[in-house]
Each structure stands twice: as C-alpha cells, then as structure tokens.
Amino acid sequence: MKKILSFAFVAILSVLSVNAVNVENEAYYEQFRGKDITLNVFNWGEYISDGSEDSLNVLEEFENISGIRVVYNNYETNEDLYAKLSANKENPQYDIIIPSDYMISRMIREDMVEKINFDNVPNISMIDDKYRYPDFDPTGEYSVPYTWGTVGIIYNSKYVDAEDVGTWDLLWNKKYAGNILMFSNSRDAYGVALKKLGYSLNSTNRDEIEDATEILKLQRSVNQSYVMDQTFDKMENESAYVAPYYAGDCLSMMENNENLAFYYPEEGFNIFIDSICIPKGAKNKEAAEAFINFLCETEIAVANCEYICYFTPHTEAAKIVEFDERIYPTDEQLAKSESFIALPDNVNSLYDSSWIEVRSSLDISEMVTVGIILGLALTVLIVLTVLRHMKKGKINY
Amino acid sequence: MKTNSKAAFPYILWVLFFTVIPFVLVIYYAATSKDTGAITLDNLANASRYFPVLIRSVYLAVIATAICLVIAYPLAFTMSRSSKSVQRVILLLVMLPMWMNFLLRTYAWITILDNNGLINSFLTELGLPKIQLINNSGAVVLGMVYNYLPFMITPLYSIMTKIDKSVIEASQDLGCNGWQVITKTVLPLSFPGILTGITVTFVPAVSTFVISGLLGGSNCFLIGDLIQQQFLGNEYNLNYGAATSLMLMVVVFISMGIFNSFDNDEMEDSMI
C-alpha cells in the first residue's frame, strides 16, 4: 500500500513539474519570443534554484516561457564581480548581476548600474517595502532585493546565564573570558562594536571609529580567537560559548547542538541584502527587466528561497516558506537593523589600519618577556662570536 | 666549467621567472601608492608601525627553533650511531607526519588541545580541573616545533652520519670523557648541520600564519597573519602587503647573514 502511495506521489510530482510555472501575466513574457535574445546572468555560486534535488529549474522555466536564451556565470566575491565589470565598462558582458549591499552603493556611486524601468517589472509590488528602500539604494531605483540575512549572537544556554543575554555586552562579559569568539573580518567586527556604542555601522566619524577601536581592544582581552567558518566547529563542540554570526548559519549550528540559542542584540544589528541590478550599458535591458520580473513571481521566489535558505523580501513567498521563528527577526527588531554601504577610500583604510592595531597591539608584560628572551638569544650569539674569534686568535699566534 | 653553467640553465630560467621577477614586483608594489601608483615610502613607513608584530614573530620563531634544536640534536646523534636498519626506521618515523597535509596536521592539534579536546576530556574523566592548552603562544610554539622538527633533524642526521667512528674513538683514546667527546669532537664537526637546521626551521617559523591562526587565539597575531590579511582578507591592499613582506625579508636576510658569518668562520677554522 505504501509503495502504491509513493508511486502515486511521484506520478503527481512529475505531472506537476511538466506543467509550466504559474505567472501573473504570461503574455508579458511572450513578447520576447522569436527575437533570438541571449541574456547573460552573472550570479553567486549556488544562488538560484537549479533543478537539483527536485527543485525547480528557474533558468529553464524562464527560457520556456519567454524564448530568451540564458547564459549563466558565477562569481565568488563582490570584488571579483566589480573587477570584471570595471575592466570592461564600455561593453559590459552581463545583463543581470546580484551584488551585495555595499557593492551596490559603490556601483551606484561610480555610475556602473542602470536605473530599472519598473513599468517592465510589475511584480515589484510583491517586494516588501521594508526592503525596497535600503540604505545603499535609498530611492530603490537601481536594485530589486533578492535575498536578505542578519547578524546576531549565538550562545550556549548550558554555560551562559539568562540574565546576561540581550545585548552586545555579552561579547565583552568577563564571566565568559576565553570562551567568546569574534569576527576576523574588519567590517563585521567594527559593525558589532559601532552598534554596541550606539553609532551607525557605516560611521565615517574619526572619533567614533576610535571609540570602537578602543572597545575592540578591550574585547580582545576576553576573546578566545578571531574566526569566521571555525565558528561552526567551536560552537557545536562547546569549546566556545558565545559568538556573533549570520542568522541562517546559526540555525544550522542549533540543529547540531540543542544547547545553542540565538538572539538579536537590542542595540541593533547588521542586515545584509543581495539585490538584482542591471549593469550600465547592458545590451538587453528589457529582457533583463523581464528576468527580474520573473524572479519576483511568487512560485519562483519560493523555489529560490527554499533552495538558497536565506530570508526572502518577497511578501507572498515569505508567507509560504516556513522560517524558524528562533532566528526570524520581528518587525520591531528589523527596525533597528542597518545595512552596510560603501565608504570613502580614506575611511576604509582607517578601518583597516585600526583593525590591525586591535589585532596586533602588545601589552606591557608581553613586551618585557619578549625583550628578555630576544635579549638572551642575542647575547648568546654575541658571546659565541667573541669566543670563536678569541680561539682563532690563539691558534694564529 | 662551461658545461656546468649550461647544465644549470633550467634552474637559472626558473629562478629568473619565479624568484627574481616576483621579487622585483614585490619591491615595486612596496614602493608605489595604492591609489595613484606614484612612488612613495608611505607603505614602508606604515609597515614599520607594526614592528611589534614582527618582534613577536621573531620571538616565537626563536623559541621554537631552540626547542627543535634541543630535541633534534641528541636524536640525530643517537640515530647516526645506531645500525642501518634502526636508522631507516627512525628516519621513516621522523618523515611520517610530513606525508600528511600541513593544514590537517595543525588542525589535528585543535582536537587534542581544545577546551573540550582529548587531553581536557581525559582530565575531566579523572576528576581533575581543565587546563588552558590552546589559544596562547605556547600552542603556537608547539605547532611550530611539531611541524618543523623534521627540518631540523634531517640536516643534523646527514652531517652526523659523516662523522667517522674512528674520530670519536681517537678522542676517547686521548682521554676525553663522554661530555668532552660531545663538546670537543661531535659539536664542532656537526656545526654546519646546526646552522642549516636553524636556517630551514627559523625561516618558515617566522613567516607562518596557518599555525598562529589555528592555535594562537586572540593574542598571537603574527607578521604572516598581517601579510595574509592584506592579500586574501577584505583589507585587500597589495602595496601595503608587499611592504610588510619586504620588511620580513629584510629580517630574514639579516639573520641569514649572521648565520652565514658563522659558517665562514667554520670554514676558516678547518683550513687552519
């Protein structure tokens, strides 16, 4: 009986997957058919539902519905994307890109992205207004949010007392000295410190950055180590008790160790948004807009969201996909979040050099030991040299 | 002589493309500005601000090299005096860890030293308090010694096998006691091996970033980490990174110079 049922289930599934996806207005996509258009999409790796493990193949569906051929390429970092685009500004190779927040603001500043004609993207109404006008594109003219995520604190409830939880102060709490982790990446670490101080995490104010540097130095005295991916291991096997990290990844840690819990600090936190943009001078702007519209179709947004496992800015999709409420921020919490924007070059280098200062400063007692040991080593070397020369002298005479 | 230089041609070509040209590029990047590309000393001045980091790296590398020498020297001597088959077995054991990936070898130490690692869970089983074994400079030195010990053993071993048994016997016949045999005969004869061992251990130890990154915790930021951040981190700044590595190169050059002056002394001694 079970077998028959599962056969029936598979049969239904296969019938479903043959059917085309439900779209709001099929005729809109039909206008491109027979025009022999090729759309070049440049995206992060594993960042679109691709048909693997019974998911929906978004690119194939788009080709079927519109007759537009899609060429899909991957990049690994925002900087990689930026380098490829700026090397060929006159003749961009791509029609669709999906950079992160701060990179979008840099591209807007350097006039590298097109304004999107929203008459061609009717599904924009599906995107929640909360994410429509982010700090990096306040007018929302250049970008359409694709996914978003947040940074919060993951902690081990077996070791951390409930009364210490709630703010960023937990990362500075001497009670847990030696069991606290911190981001090894300067922008994320400064984001934490600036938020704790109540400043903007895009601060360009020299004094504010200096304050943040001071408290990060203070944090170093209770910190175990500066890590990124190692956070998973250290939190799961309980060799550290507290760490700031990305909410989605925290959930997967919590699935592996039931003592782990998560919260959003009251002072506010970082929200990161990856948005869809069209590079300046793209050859197929209208087809690109149709593609953006397609990505905003509810069924497609749901498929992508389930595949990527990040939060979605799509109102309908967010209702359908079930997010774990332990990590899904409330509206009240979201109001306190802030996204990164690109900073002027001189401010960037101020952050970088201050971060090295945080990481590298020696305290007095360490200086003394280092001095004594190196002094000893040097003395031994000198004594040896002198002895050898004396000996040589003796033999010569 | 002529045929000799011709035979070295592939290597000369290799050195030209993969040592000389990259070195010139490092100097070029170190001496130019990131934004304008103009010639500047700012990068170098900036790099020297982090001299304490360099001092800390030298300090840890010196300690690690010294420990390597103390462990390796008696072992190499015992090895060289034992039978051929025993020598082969010990040499195999020394080289065995090197067959495993460097990163993996270092990562394995985390499992052993961690607060919930092998040692500490054993202590907890026995009802003893946990001890802090990781995330301090001691763990970094341990990692360096573990990884670079074979580099110290092999040159010492190869030079000691060359010391003729009859030389040691002669010194014993002439009235040297055990201690004097070592200090008057073995030590001077093995001196070039000690110098090679120190050089090949110290240089990778002073520039490491994997070991400090994995075992060092918050307080062991080394010059290697600083350089790594400039090239692979989000601080991405080739010019500053090049200046920092130039600073490290200068330190390595100076220490090599000191070691080589010893070597020259040794040569003169043996000529006399």
Side-chain angles (χ1 to χ4, degrees):
Chain A
M1 186 63 198
K2 246 185 184 172
K3 238 182 189 165
I4 298 170
L5 265 183
S6 61
F7 267 121
F9 189 63
V10 170
I12 293 168
L13 268 184
S14 50
V15 168
L16 275 179
S17 62
V18 168
N19 278 352
V21 286
N22 276 319
V23 294
E24 297 287 322
N25 180 3
E26 210 164 314
Y28 166 60
Y29 299 106
E30 281 297 329
Q31 57 171 313
F32 299 98
R33 197 170 289 282
K35 287 188 184 163
D36 193 26
I37 301 173
T38 303
L39 190 72
N40 286 292
V41 176
F42 203 29
N43 193 3
W44 299 86
E46 297 191 19
Y47 217 48
I48 196 159
S49 179
D50 62 359
S52 64
E53 293 171 20
D54 288 335
S55 62
L56 193 74
N57 189 328
V58 170
L59 298 177
E60 207 177 276
E61 295 295 344
F62 182 69
E63 287 183 330
N64 289 342
I65 204 166
S66 67
I68 297 173
R69 210 169 69 87
V70 178
V71 177
Y72 188 73
N73 281 299
N74 285 336
Y75 55 85
E76 274 179 21
T77 64
N78 282 303
E79 285 67 25
D80 189 13
L81 165 68
Y82 177 83
K84 286 222 168 75
L85 278 184
S86 55
N88 212 344
K89 264 187 187 165
E90 309 303 311
N91 183 22
Q93 303 297 303
Y94 307 104
D95 301 301
I96 291 282
I97 51 172
I98 309 188
S100 308
D101 32 41
Y102 71 98
M103 190 49 76
I104 295 172
S105 89
R106 181 169 177 185
M107 287 178 165
I108 294 172
R109 201 174 69 195
E110 297 179 13
D111 195 28
M112 289 171 72
V113 284
E114 292 276 1
K115 279 190 182 169
I116 296 167
N117 179 359
F118 285 104
D119 293 341
N120 292 335
V121 191
N123 286 339
I124 190 70
S125 59
M126 301 283 199
I127 301 295
D128 198 326
D129 271 355
K130 277 183 285 191
Y131 317 103
R132 258 305 264 131
Y133 310 102
D135 301 314
F136 55 86
D137 180 13
T139 55
E141 289 169 292
Y142 296 93
S143 62
V144 175
Y146 183 57
T147 56
W148 61 277
T150 47
V151 170
I153 290 183
I154 183 163
Y155 67 97
N156 193 317
S157 53
K158 206 162 94 188
Y159 304 102
V160 176
D161 300 333
E163 78 240 27
D164 297 327
V165 166
T167 60
W168 286 117
D169 290 346
L170 184 57
L171 295 176
W172 274 260
N173 196 325
K174 287 199 172 65
K175 231 156 96 182
Y176 310 109
N179 291 308
I180 300 169
L181 303 175
M182 178 51 103
F183 285 119
S184 67
N185 155 336
S186 60
R187 198 75 205 266
D188 279 324
Y190 269 92
V192 169
L194 289 164
K195 274 289 156 201
K196 175 178 149 67
L197 292 167
Y199 303 140
S200 158
L201 46 74
N202 294 308
S203 175
T204 53
N205 180 317
R206 218 157 252 281
D207 296 333
E208 290 180 3
I209 297 173
E210 213 162 275
D211 288 351
T213 306
E214 281 315 309
I215 66 163
L216 281 171
K217 277 185 188 165
L218 207 66
Q219 203 273 333
R220 204 184 93 170
S221 61
V222 296
N223 196 41
Q224 182 185 94
S225 53
Y226 294 96
V227 290
M228 298 303 291
D229 291 348
Q230 275 188 64
T231 310
F232 287 89
D233 273 355
K234 285 182 182 280
M235 290 305 295
E236 284 170 14
N237 70 23
E238 305 191 348
S239 61
Y241 307 156
V242 185
Y245 218 63
Y246 310 112
D249 296 326
C250 289
L251 187 64
S252 67
M253 290 182 233
M254 286 152 76
E255 277 161 8
N256 290 330
N257 183 337
E258 56 183 22
N259 292 326
L260 296 178
F262 178 87
Y263 70 90
Y264 287 107
E266 284 163 19
E267 301 97 322
F269 51 90
N270 170 223
I271 175 172
F272 53 89
I273 304 175
D274 289 348
S275 297
I276 319 161
C277 299
I278 304 174
K280 195 94 190 172
K283 287 176 205 82
N284 302 299
K285 186 159 181 276
E286 278 170 16
E289 282 158 355
F291 185 70
I292 296 176
N293 194 52
F294 188 70
L295 290 179
C296 296
E297 299 284 355
T298 306
E299 202 178 329
I300 301 300
V302 169
N304 278 333
C305 181
E306 283 175 343
Y307 178 84
I308 305 170
C309 293
Y310 279 33
F311 302 141
T312 177
H314 193 284
T315 34
E316 293 305 312
K319 281 178 202 157
I320 296 166
V321 181
E322 279 178 31
F323 288 106
D324 197 301
E325 57 187 26
R326 289 175 296 176
I327 60 160
Y328 201 77
T330 62
D331 284 353
E332 204 179 310
Q333 286 166 331
L334 263 188
K336 289 179 188 161
S337 67
E338 192 183 359
S339 62
F340 284 127
I341 60 166
L343 301 169
D345 283 344
N346 63 331
V347 178
N348 267 330
S349 46
L350 178 63
Y351 273 108
D352 293 344
S353 59
S354 312
W355 180 236
I356 295 172
E357 199 184 309
V358 170
R359 298 288 304 275
S360 66
S361 59
L362 284 98
D363 55 32
I364 302 294
S365 64
E366 199 187 355
M367 288 264 228
V368 174
T369 2
V370 170
I372 291 173
I373 298 282
L374 282 184
L376 268 177
L378 213 64
T379 329
V380 169
L381 272 183
I382 292 169
V383 168
L384 269 178
T385 324
V386 171
L387 278 178
R388 299 187 66 78
H389 278 280
M390 278 167 63
K391 208 168 98 192
K392 223 160 52 184
K394 262 186 212 158
I395 295 166
N396 277 340
Y397 287 116
Chain B
M1 193 64 200
K2 249 195 170 159
T3 48
N4 275 351
S5 61
K6 258 185 200 154
F9 186 70
Y11 180 68
I12 291 170
L13 212 64
W14 178 272
V15 166
L16 183 71
F17 277 103
F18 300 115
T19 310
V20 178
I21 294 177
F23 186 66
V24 172
L25 279 177
V26 168
I27 296 177
Y28 169 77
Y29 272 102
T32 47
S33 150
K34 184 190 179 192
D35 309 318
T36 59
I39 298 224
T40 169
L41 285 176
D42 284 359
N43 296 317
L44 288 164
N46 238 330
S48 60
R49 266 176 56 201
Y50 301 109
F51 202 67
V53 184
L54 183 61
I55 295 293
R56 182 194 281 147
S57 312
V58 172
Y59 159 74
L60 294 180
V62 164
I63 295 180
T65 311
I67 295 175
C68 277
L69 184 61
V70 169
I71 296 175
Y73 198 84
L75 175 71
F77 183 66
T78 323
M79 255 168 99
S80 69
R81 298 300 120 190
S82 44
S83 72
K84 277 275 173 259
S85 57
V86 174
Q87 284 187 25
R88 267 199 295 274
V89 172
I90 301 182
L91 199 62
L92 184 77
L93 289 177
V94 168
M95 301 309 286
L96 200 62
M98 307 279 276
W99 298 358
M100 211 169 42
N101 180 283
F102 177 75
L103 189 69
L104 203 64
R105 260 183 284 154
T106 314
Y107 206 85
W109 275 107
I110 299 182
T111 342
I112 300 172
L113 302 176
D114 217 350
N115 296 341
N116 288 322
L118 278 179
I119 297 177
N120 274 323
S121 25
F122 182 67
L123 288 178
T124 333
E125 275 313 293
L126 295 179
L128 295 166
K130 286 185 181 183
I131 39 176
Q132 178 69 37
L133 295 166
I134 201 169
N135 299 322
N136 49 37
S137 39
V140 176
V141 171
L142 177 70
M144 287 175 178
V145 171
Y146 176 71
N147 279 306
Y148 304 128
L149 191 59
F151 294 169
M152 184 65 96
I153 294 174
T154 34
L156 284 175
Y157 163 70
S158 65
I159 201 145
M160 281 191 196
T161 46
K162 284 187 207 137
I163 300 176
D164 202 318
K165 215 167 92 185
S166 57
V167 177
I168 294 173
E169 280 164 1
S171 63
Q172 282 167 336
D173 284 348
L174 292 167
C176 284
N177 59 26
W179 175 248
Q180 282 169 324
V181 170
I182 300 286
T183 54
K184 300 268 182 194
T185 317
V186 180
L187 201 60
L189 285 175
S190 62
F191 204 66
I194 298 179
L195 291 179
T196 317
I198 289 178
T199 317
V200 295
T201 314
F202 177 76
V203 173
V206 79
S207 58
T208 185
F209 63 90
V210 176
I211 299 174
S212 51
L214 291 176
L215 305 174
S218 318
N219 294 316
C220 281
F221 190 75
L222 301 186
I223 192 84
D225 298 291
L226 184 59
I227 296 170
Q228 191 252 5
Q229 253 189 24
Q230 306 306 318
F231 286 96
L232 297 174
N234 64 339
E235 284 81 4
Y236 193 71
N237 186 342
L238 296 183
N239 306 75
Y240 178 56
T244 322
S245 39
L246 199 63
M247 184 168 79
L248 177 62
M249 275 190 238
V250 169
V251 169
V252 171
F253 270 135
I254 292 173
S255 36
M256 297 272 267
I258 295 174
F259 291 142
N260 280 335
S261 77
F262 274 97
D263 217 8
N264 291 338
D265 288 353
E266 190 58 39
M267 299 274 270
E268 284 164 35
D269 276 5
S270 51
M271 301 249 270
I272 294 166

